[in-house]
Amino acid sequence: DAKTTQPTSMDCAEGRAANLPCNHSTISGNEYVYWYRQIHSQGPQYIIHGLKNNETNEKASLIITEDRKSSTLILPHATLRDTAVYYCIVRALYNQAGTALIFGKGTTLSVSS
Amino acid sequence: EADIYQTPRYLVIGTGKKITLECSQTMGHDKMYWYQQDPGMELHLIHYSYGVNSTEKGDLSSESTVSRIRTEHFPLTLESARPSHTSQYLCASSESWTGGDYGYTFGSGTRLTVV
């Protein structure tokens, strides 16, 4: 199973880009990279996912290195409401029936004015 | 607007009581999940289901049990609550195992306190 390494915490000024790194050096060729965030103690929210190519949606951009050993989630213009725990997930629990996403410790992003 | 509903939102109950945490979704998802999260800690998968009458244990051992009699309903039961069960329980659903284009949809959670 691939595991991820994320910084415990990061700070970002409001209006600036927030770049959240994630290392996943043991990722398998067919495993995707997923990003979720959790605001306070609410249920996590899906942000974005990707396999090889860079991805962008209305919430964020995901940059995956060519060797797929690391990725970066980019929030282009961080706001105070982006303060949350951000989870990078590449591990899934597999068995004969199927698979489910396993969340790690994540990065606590603090956006300040 | 939530498409997955968890009740109760908060529950304080005495040791030894039987409790059922409710989770319902209106999206027609086959895949549903229960995660447990202590304050300030990571989420742990405790149960998941891939359809009616099909459930599996997650990567964290739990004394709770689940059932899936209807697609939209995935309740979690503790036969005899203990203080060690005090935690937040989060239910989620998805259209595919990896979440598809929209990811997992989570409910607001149930904060359980056993006294």
Side-chain angles (χ1 to χ4, degrees):
Chain A
D1 289 338
K3 293 187 182 295
T4 62
T5 304
Q6 299 178 254
T8 302
S9 63
M10 294 184 64
D11 296 318
C12 181
E14 189 176 24
R16 304 297 294 268
N19 298 303
L20 290 90
C22 179
N23 289 322
H24 32 79
S25 59
T26 60
I27 190 171
S28 300
N30 60 352
E31 287 184 313
Y32 283 73
V33 180
Y34 307 89
W35 283 86
Y36 283 73
R37 75 178 185 183
Q38 185 175 27
I39 298 173
H40 196 46
S41 294
Q42 299 174 18
Q45 300 169 317
Y46 165 80
I47 302 173
I48 198 168
H49 73 281
L51 181 63
K52 293 181 181 179
N53 301 319
N54 298 337
E55 302 287 345
T56 297
N57 62 21
E58 67 279 6
K59 299 175 186 174
S61 295
L62 175 60
I63 309 298
I64 302 173
T65 58
E66 193 169 342
D67 62 9
R68 300 206 335 119
K69 292 184 177 182
S70 66
S71 61
T72 301
L73 178 73
I74 300 173
L75 307 177
H77 305 287
T79 70
L80 298 178
R81 287 180 293 181
D82 291 323
T83 293
V85 178
Y86 287 78
Y87 298 98
C88 171
I89 304 164
V90 297
R91 179 188 167 191
L93 176 68
Y94 295 100
N95 68 12
Q96 291 180 348
T99 182
L101 297 181
I102 304 298
F103 288 74
K105 298 185 186 301
T107 295
T108 299
L109 175 68
S110 298
V111 181
S112 57
S113 57
Chain B
E1 182 176 341
D3 295 312
I4 184 163
Y5 305 93
Q6 289 188 244
T7 57
R9 185 73 178 89
Y10 300 93
L11 179 62
V12 180
I13 200 162
T15 298
K17 299 292 186 181
K18 177 180 178 179
I19 59 171
T20 296
L21 308 184
E22 301 290 347
C23 177
S24 295
Q25 50 97 2
T26 60
M27 297 169 283
H29 290 164
D30 286 330
K31 315 298 188 289
M32 295 190 74
Y33 318 85
W34 276 103
Y35 288 84
Q36 182 178 343
Q37 185 177 35
D38 293 334
M41 304 298 286
E42 61 196 275
L43 287 85
H44 292 286
L45 178 71
I46 52 175
H47 298 284
Y48 61 105
S49 167
Y50 42 96
V52 172
N53 294 326
S54 297
T55 62
E56 296 287 338
K57 290 187 178 296
D59 66 336
L60 178 69
S61 177
S62 174
E63 295 171 343
S64 60
T65 59
V66 293
S67 63
R68 190 87 183 276
I69 299 173
R70 303 197 314 268
T71 297
E72 64 272 21
H73 195 212
F74 190 39
L76 180 146
T77 299
L78 281 165
E79 290 292 333
S80 179
R82 295 207 300 270
S84 60
H85 297 141
T86 294
S87 188
Q88 176 166 242
Y89 293 85
L90 289 156
C91 180
S93 72
S94 67
E95 62 179 6
S96 70
W97 285 118
T98 54
D101 291 335
Y102 303 102
Y104 286 20
T105 300
F106 278 83
S108 298
T110 293
R111 287 187 181 276
L112 173 65
T113 302
V114 183
V115 298

